[in-house]
């Protein structure tokens, strides 16, 4: 079935850079996974990606203390036709991990955690750095699994006031909100069908306050409804990303 994850012989790894015909060495962590976990051997075919949009068919040459591979043809790296940014009200970290994974799979370009009034998580700089590294790892694994050759950019958590300033960059800016009535994402798509950058603001577990919704609206975010049922923040995030990718993107 097209697009549904299934068991496959294709193994994908991240590299620094490369071009067809070159021989490259896999980074230490990727090499260890290929050698110790997957037990790959010289001659095995793999796919290598640089995180900047390049995906290559490749053949392993050496598998010892290090792993090298020769790059062959460049492949289609599944780039999304729309630059989608998710402005996610900072939730509990396990939910943010889930959201980052699904954002990477769906082809979202950027994830911006936003400190909002009802965010219960408080991060200091050291915690924020460690958690961002964890999110990057989750997003990289999802990227390799999905065959996506460009990375999901994960920003440092920002204040809500700073997020408001970012909204003007988007061709279309959406705010799914439980108190919104009438207008849906598809209605906003009809108004901006050619938008190449789309932003989505999702509240944390407690939702978006009326004051935040008003401020976001003044900054250009259009309130939309996801239907009559109240969704958890992680469900709302995935549903909104998928709908936007369906309308503006390639789903």
């Amino acid at each position: 079935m097209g697009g549904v994850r299934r068991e496959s012989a294709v193994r994908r790894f991240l590299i620094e850079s490369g071009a067809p015909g070159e021989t490259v060495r896999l980074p230490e962590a990727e090499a260890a996974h290929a050698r110790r976990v997957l037990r790959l051997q010289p001659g095995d075919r793999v796919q290598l990606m640089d995180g900047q949009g390049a995906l290559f068919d490749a053949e392993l040459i050496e598998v010892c203390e290090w792993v090298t591979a020769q790059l062959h043809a460049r492949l289609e790296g599944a780039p999304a036709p729309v630059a989608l940014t998710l402005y996610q009200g900072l939730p509990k970290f396990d939910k943010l991990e889930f959201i980052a994974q699904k954002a990477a799979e769906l082809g979202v370009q950027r994830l911006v955690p936003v400190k909002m009034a009802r965010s219960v998580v408080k991060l200091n700089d050291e915690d924020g750095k460690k958690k961002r590294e964890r999110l990057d790892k989750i997003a990289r694994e999802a990227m390799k699994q999905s065959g996506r050759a460009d990375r999901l950019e994960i920003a440092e958590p920002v204040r809500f006031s700073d997020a408001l300033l970012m909204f003007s960059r988007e061709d279309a800016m959406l705010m799914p909100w439980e108190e919104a009535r009438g207008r849906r994402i598809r209605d906003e798509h009809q108004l901006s069908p050619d938008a190449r950058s789309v932003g989505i603001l999702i509240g944390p577990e407690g939702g978006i306050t009326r004051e935040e919704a008003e401020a976001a609206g003044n900054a250009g975010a259009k309130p939309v409804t996801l239907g009559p049922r109240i969704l958890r923040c992680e469900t709302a995030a995935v549903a909104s990303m998928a709908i936007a990718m369906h309308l503006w993107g390639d789903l």
Side-chain angles (χ1 to χ4, degrees):
M1 295 176 64
V4 178
R5 182 179 181 178
R6 59 189 182 277
E7 292 300 318
S8 171
V10 176
R11 306 297 186 181
R12 301 186 181 95
F13 302 93
L14 279 165
I15 58 174
E16 295 289 333
S17 62
E22 292 184 353
T23 297
V24 299
R25 181 180 289 194
L26 271 63
E28 184 176 346
E30 297 288 273
H33 185 66
R35 183 177 67 250
R36 299 174 185 169
V37 179
L38 300 178
R39 299 186 180 278
L40 298 181
Q41 301 294 324
D44 285 342
R45 299 302 284 260
V46 296
Q47 291 182 0
L48 303 182
M49 51 184 62
D50 66 0
Q52 304 300 316
L55 175 67
F56 303 95
D57 178 39
E59 180 182 347
L60 296 185
I61 304 300
E62 298 174 289
V63 181
C64 46
E65 293 182 10
W66 56 85
V67 176
T68 63
Q70 184 175 26
L71 304 182
H72 296 309
R74 182 163 175 164
L75 306 174
E76 178 63 36
V82 61
L84 182 59
T85 297
L86 177 66
Y87 299 90
Q88 175 62 56
L90 195 61
K92 293 179 180 177
F93 196 68
D94 60 334
K95 295 183 178 181
L96 191 58
E97 288 181 341
F98 175 83
I99 291 167
Q101 181 188 64
K102 302 312 169 190
E105 291 179 20
L106 287 167
V108 172
Q109 183 181 84
R110 193 165 184 244
L111 170 60
V112 182
V114 182
K115 301 173 186 177
M116 300 181 70
R118 292 174 176 164
S119 293
V120 297
V121 174
K122 308 297 180 185
L123 296 177
N124 58 38
D125 290 343
E126 185 61 27
D127 287 341
K129 180 180 178 181
K130 290 180 180 178
K131 291 186 183 302
R132 186 181 178 191
E133 290 173 354
R134 169 69 178 164
L135 291 176
D136 281 334
K137 180 179 179 181
I138 289 170
R140 287 197 304 271
E141 291 304 312
M143 165 189 159
K144 290 189 290 184
Q145 174 268 312
S146 65
R148 168 184 179 169
D150 61 316
R151 292 177 186 267
L152 167 68
E153 178 187 349
I154 300 176
E156 296 283 355
V158 301
R159 295 175 300 178
F160 182 66
S161 58
D162 293 327
L164 293 176
L165 299 176
M166 301 176 185
F167 294 172
S168 62
R169 305 174 187 173
E170 312 294 350
D171 294 339
M173 185 65 214
L174 312 172
M175 179 179 60
W177 186 38
E178 62 189 54
E179 295 189 35
R181 297 291 183 269
R183 298 197 65 78
R184 300 175 185 267
I185 295 178
R186 65 170 176 260
D187 297 314
E188 294 303 323
H189 173 260
Q190 291 175 354
L191 294 177
S192 304
D194 299 322
R196 292 298 85 198
S197 65
V198 175
I200 301 173
L201 173 65
I202 299 291
E205 287 94 340
I208 300 172
T209 68
R210 183 172 294 278
E211 293 75 17
E212 287 171 332
E214 182 177 347
N218 291 336
K222 306 298 184 183
V224 293
T225 177
L226 294 176
R229 290 164 294 281
I230 304 300
L231 305 181
R232 293 178 181 270
C233 68
E234 66 271 29
T235 308
V238 174
S240 300
M241 291 186 292
I243 293 170
M245 274 298 182
H246 169 65
L247 294 171
W248 282 282
D250 50 12
L251 294 189

